[in-house]
Amino acid sequence: MHSRHWITQSGRYLLFGVLQLALDTAIYIALTSLGVMVVPANVIGRLIGASAGFMFNGRITFASPHGHQINRGAFARYALLWLMLTLVGSTILRVVEQQTGLIDTWYAKPLVEASLAVLGFTGLKFFVFRRHRLSDGR
């Protein structure tokens, strides 16, 4: 891949990631401030953010130059990646809550998600939106 393409892809991922992070964190803080427990609030926030992220990253950031649409295989791989990252993030937030309290999870949430975004980019690029694989039916 050309370095220019990688830079463009990285920039788009970063832009959509910031928007996704803001949405996810806002929902998380709103829900926990209303009394929803940390893990369910994190799952709901991530689910809403991930829905937006899947759409934007699949259709724009990692779109095939050949115009291939998002398929069920990509969605299944996205769901698996999302579950793994959500498990890690929820565990970290739960530990922060147990050790220092709910308010500290509000500060930790964007840091945790930003850290997971690095793994997310790699997973999206090489696992979810991969191209030219027989299992995708292409």
Side-chain angles (χ1 to χ4, degrees), residues 102-113:
L102 176 63
I103 302 299
D104 286 340
T105 70
W106 295 352
Y107 297 107
K109 170 76 172 162
L111 299 174
V112 168
E113 296 300 335

Side-chain angles (χ1 to χ4, degrees), residues 78-127:
Y78 185 80
L80 180 60
L81 177 65
W82 181 85
L83 284 171
M84 291 185 307
L85 295 176
T86 299
L87 177 63
V88 171
S90 294
T91 300
I92 293 168
L93 291 173
R94 182 71 179 120
V95 168
V96 170
E97 180 193 30
Q98 290 173 336
Q99 298 296 318
T100 63
L102 176 63
I103 302 299
D104 286 340
T105 70
W106 295 352
Y107 297 107
K109 170 76 172 162
L111 299 174
V112 168
E113 296 300 335
S115 299
L116 293 176
V118 175
L119 294 174
F121 178 84
T122 304
L124 287 171
K125 178 155 186 59
F126 296 108
F127 178 63

Side-chain angles (χ1 to χ4, degrees), residues 6 9 17 20 27-28 30 43 48 52-53 61 75 77-78 84-85 88 99 104-105 117 120 123 136:
W6 186 87
Q9 224 174 33
Q20 186 176 337
I27 290 167
Y28 173 78
V43 171
I48 293 169
T61 306
F75 181 77
R77 292 186 300 271
Y78 185 80
M84 291 185 307
L85 295 176
V88 171
Q99 298 296 318
D104 286 340
T105 70
D136 288 343

Side-chain angles (χ1 to χ4, degrees), residues 4-51:
R4 182 176 174 187
H5 180 67
W6 186 87
I7 291 168
T8 301
Q9 224 174 33
S10 299
R12 288 179 181 159
Y13 180 76
L14 181 61
L15 172 65
F16 295 137
V18 168
L19 296 173
Q20 186 176 337
L21 175 64
L23 178 63
D24 176 3
T25 300
I27 290 167
Y28 173 78
I29 291 171
L31 290 174
T32 56
S33 69
L34 294 171
V36 176
M37 294 185 301
V38 167
V39 172
N42 187 53
V43 171
I44 293 167
R46 282 186 54 80
L47 184 60
I48 293 169
S51 298

